[in-house]
């Protein structure tokens, strides 16, 4: 274990221009004691993974409302593994149909948080499942 707080990258992959939820989550996680980095809008999978690598994060939280989750989220998980960051906890939130969840989890997304999930629930999941990077 390390004395530093868990470090979370919040990213908005794809052509999704709605970031209120991501900003609320970033602030809420900060208030919960996490160190939070927010990448901003319209990030490519490569940009997300580069930021995760540069920031040495423990968790990547992906917020997506555009409907491109079946393309973007597995690609981000694949790129993280290629960068030897397969131990980084990947979570997602937004509008993701229940029928897609099993495939996303098989691709490496640990949890999907839908509308109405509390910040406390998300923080608890991250604390229980993230492993601080060395």
């Amino acid at each position: 274990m390390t004395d530093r707080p868990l470090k979370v990258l919040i990213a908005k992959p794809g052509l999704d221009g709605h970031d209120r939820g991501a900003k609320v989550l970033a602030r809420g996680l900060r208030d919960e004691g996490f160190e939070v980095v927010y990448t901003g809008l319209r990030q490519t999978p490569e940009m997300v993974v580069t930021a995760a690598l540069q920031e040495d994060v423990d968790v990547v939280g992906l917020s997506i409302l555009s409907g491109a989750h079946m393309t973007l989220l597995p690609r981000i998980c694949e790129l993280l593994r290629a960068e030897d960051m397969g131990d980084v906890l990947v979570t997602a939130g937004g509008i993701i149909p229940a029928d897609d969840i099993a495939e996303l989890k098989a691709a490496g997304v640990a949890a999907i948080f839908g509308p109405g999930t509390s910040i406390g629930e998300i923080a608890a999941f991250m604390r229980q499942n993230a492993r601080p990077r060395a």
Side-chain angles (χ1 to χ4, degrees):
M1 292 293 292
T2 177
D3 291 336
R4 73 171 175 82
L6 288 172
K7 192 169 188 179
V8 180
L9 179 82
I10 302 294
K12 292 288 299 178
L15 299 177
D16 183 349
H18 298 87
D19 66 347
R20 178 176 288 185
K23 288 178 177 176
V24 168
L25 179 61
R27 176 176 235 150
L29 290 175
R30 183 205 63 198
D31 292 349
E32 287 273 345
F34 293 82
E35 183 177 346
V36 180
V37 177
Y38 174 56
T39 64
L41 293 168
R42 299 179 186 92
Q43 300 292 297
T44 66
E46 292 78 10
M47 291 164 72
V48 172
V49 172
T50 297
L53 185 61
Q54 290 175 345
E55 293 289 343
D56 193 28
V57 299
D58 307 303
V59 180
V60 172
L62 303 165
S63 172
I64 190 158
L65 302 167
S66 67
H69 54 277
M70 296 302 289
T71 301
L72 297 172
L73 303 188
R75 177 72 177 145
I76 291 167
C77 292
E78 175 187 327
L79 291 170
L80 284 168
R81 287 189 295 272
E83 291 292 344
D84 198 27
M85 295 184 74
D87 59 337
V88 171
L89 183 72
V90 177
T91 64
I95 307 300
I96 298 175
D99 291 346
D100 296 340
I101 292 175
E103 189 173 339
L104 290 172
K105 285 188 174 184
V109 179
I112 313 268
F113 301 106
T117 306
S118 74
I119 291 170
E121 289 174 76
I122 296 168
F125 181 86
M126 289 177 178
R127 283 188 188 105
Q128 290 170 357
N129 294 283
R131 289 177 293 185
R133 294 178 54 80

